[in-house]
Amino acid sequence: VAKSLIIRGGYALTQWVTADATAFPATLDAGLNGRVLALTNGIISVEDLTLTNGRLNGADGAGLSVSSGVTATLLRARVTGNRGSGFSSDGGGIANGGTLVISMTVVASNVVSGSSSGKGGGIYNTGALSILNSQVVSNVLLGSSSGQGGGIYNSGALTIVNASILSSTNNSSSNRGGGLYTSGALSMLNSTLAGNRADGFDHRGGAIYVDSGNAILTNVTLAGNGVSGTSALGGGIYRNSGVMTLTNTLLDANSGGNCAGSVMSGGYNLSSDGTCTLSAPTDVANTPGQLAPLSNGHRAPLLGSLAVDAGTCLQSAHALGATRPGAGTPFCDIGAIEISGASVDLAVAETVAP
């Protein structure tokens, strides 16, 4: 696509007036032969579509490619079952070099395999990317000796709000950053990373690997992520360089330790172990998070958890739209989810089995 336009699903041969993606689902299927969609010029919106079965060898973005200079929106979409393979094949689902907003979308079960330096099993970003009210689920890097970012690779500018980077069968990397690898600028708010893994050659950063740059996490939950192997480090976070700041963030039961490499504290954090060098007087270490199982892409603290009413109220709503603070209390909870409050519909993309 090399011109400004809207590409929208949800119509039928007998109904072209109002889009209804539920009644009339639409799919762009590459049939295992090349890329599903390439955006090369203009201002483009892709809405209410499934992008699937892209296959590329030695090229980026088997599901969707956004070139430098393009401004694009991906809205209420699914990017699933796409695969890149061969040398320097990055972004199994999406490769972005332009300006891209992903909203109310699921990026699931995409793969990069057979590359010596594969990056971004789900999403590969070198441009400006915002991920809003969306989920990145069960994407994989396979067989790469220096793979980076099972779910997302970022060397540009990445903003994540009200999102989940998680597993039903794990976002996973054969090297660094099972959920997310970043060497650029990262801002993450009201989001959850759960069940991600870095297993294989370097075993570092089960949820997040910060190679360089500035990473800011606010109201984030990192739980049940992990690394394995004799050199495994940082089941939750591995900070190699750069600056990482945690505020009102909950780290719980990440195998291989919640943190490796020092982080800065903005206060009101809780860690189930003592690995995160949390030094603010409002921080709590060596304390279990006591979290409920995964629901709607997030893990909420249970009643009785020391994360409840122990946080700071930096936003008026949590990841699923309920108000902060919850009903009957002036205090907010630590992490992405407030356990009580009036519901506000943010139309967050539901977790769907890939």
Side-chain angles (χ1 to χ4, degrees):
V1 178
K3 61 184 295 184
S4 296
L5 79 165
I6 298 172
I7 305 169
R8 180 181 294 146
Y11 296 100
L13 291 176
T14 57
Q15 199 285 105
W16 292 100
V17 178
T18 303
D20 186 342
T22 301
F24 306 110
T27 298
L28 298 181
D29 190 327
L32 309 182
N33 184 20
R35 181 183 289 115
V36 179
L37 187 61
L39 310 182
T40 60
N41 188 49
I43 300 172
I44 303 164
S45 185
V46 179
E47 304 174 7
D48 301 305
L49 287 168
T50 293
L51 311 182
T52 191
N53 286 332
R55 292 291 187 275
L56 290 178
N57 189 352
D60 301 339
L64 173 67
S65 171
V66 181
S67 298
S68 177
V70 173
T71 298
T73 301
L74 185 63
L75 177 64
R76 296 184 303 271
R78 285 182 59 84
V79 181
T80 182
N82 302 286
R83 186 172 191 134
S85 61
F87 181 75
S88 294
S89 185
D90 302 322
I94 299 170
N96 174 55
T99 299
L100 174 63
V101 176
I102 298 173
S103 181
M104 292 179 278
T105 288
V106 176
V107 180
S109 300
N110 302 286
V111 178
V112 169
S113 66
S115 171
S116 62
S117 58
K119 302 176 180 69
I123 301 172
Y124 172 73
N125 178 57
T126 58
L129 173 63
S130 296
I131 301 174
L132 315 174
N133 306 320
S134 296
Q135 294 186 351
V136 180
V137 185
S138 302
N139 301 283
V140 181
L141 286 178
L142 294 174
S144 174
S145 60
S146 57
Q148 299 167 338
I152 303 171
Y153 170 93
N154 172 56
S155 62
L158 174 60
T159 300
I160 300 173
V161 180
N162 298 338
S164 304
I165 303 171
L166 49 89
S167 70
S168 46
T169 59
N170 299 331
N171 289 304
S172 64
S173 169
S174 58
N175 197 342
R176 301 174 180 177
L180 167 65
Y181 171 100
T182 181
S183 60
L186 169 66
S187 175
M188 184 180 295
L189 173 67
N190 281 357
S191 296
T192 293
L193 296 100
N196 304 288
R197 297 198 60 82
D199 299 317
F201 297 96
D202 210 11
H203 329 283
R204 297 182 182 182
I208 302 176
Y209 187 102
V210 180
D211 200 7
S212 59
N214 191 26
I216 300 172
L217 274 59
T218 305
N219 294 359
V220 173
T221 297
L222 302 95
N225 305 283
V227 290
S228 65
T230 56
S231 62
L233 292 169
I237 293 167
Y238 184 92
R239 188 193 68 83
N240 179 56
S241 184
V243 177
M244 187 172 202
T245 304
L246 309 182
T247 304
N248 212 66
T249 287
L250 195 160
L251 302 102
D252 186 64
N254 296 288
S255 66
N258 288 333
C259 297
S262 62
V263 298
M264 296 182 64
S265 174
Y268 301 95
N269 302 293
L270 183 148
S271 174
S272 61
D273 64 22
T275 62
C276 292
T277 64
L278 300 174
S279 58
T282 52
D283 291 331
V284 180
N286 296 305
T287 300
Q290 294 181 271
L291 302 178
L294 195 70
S295 177
N296 291 321
H298 298 277
R299 296 189 62 185
L302 297 167
L303 286 174
S305 168
L306 291 184
V308 175
D309 290 347
T312 181
C313 299
L314 298 175
Q315 281 79 38
S316 60
H318 76 177
L320 294 174
T323 56
R324 287 186 187 263
T329 176
F331 305 107
C332 289
D333 301 343
I334 298 173
I337 295 294
E338 194 81 11
I339 63 170
S340 63
S343 177
V344 179
D345 184 9
L346 287 180
V348 177
E350 295 181 0
T351 302
V352 180

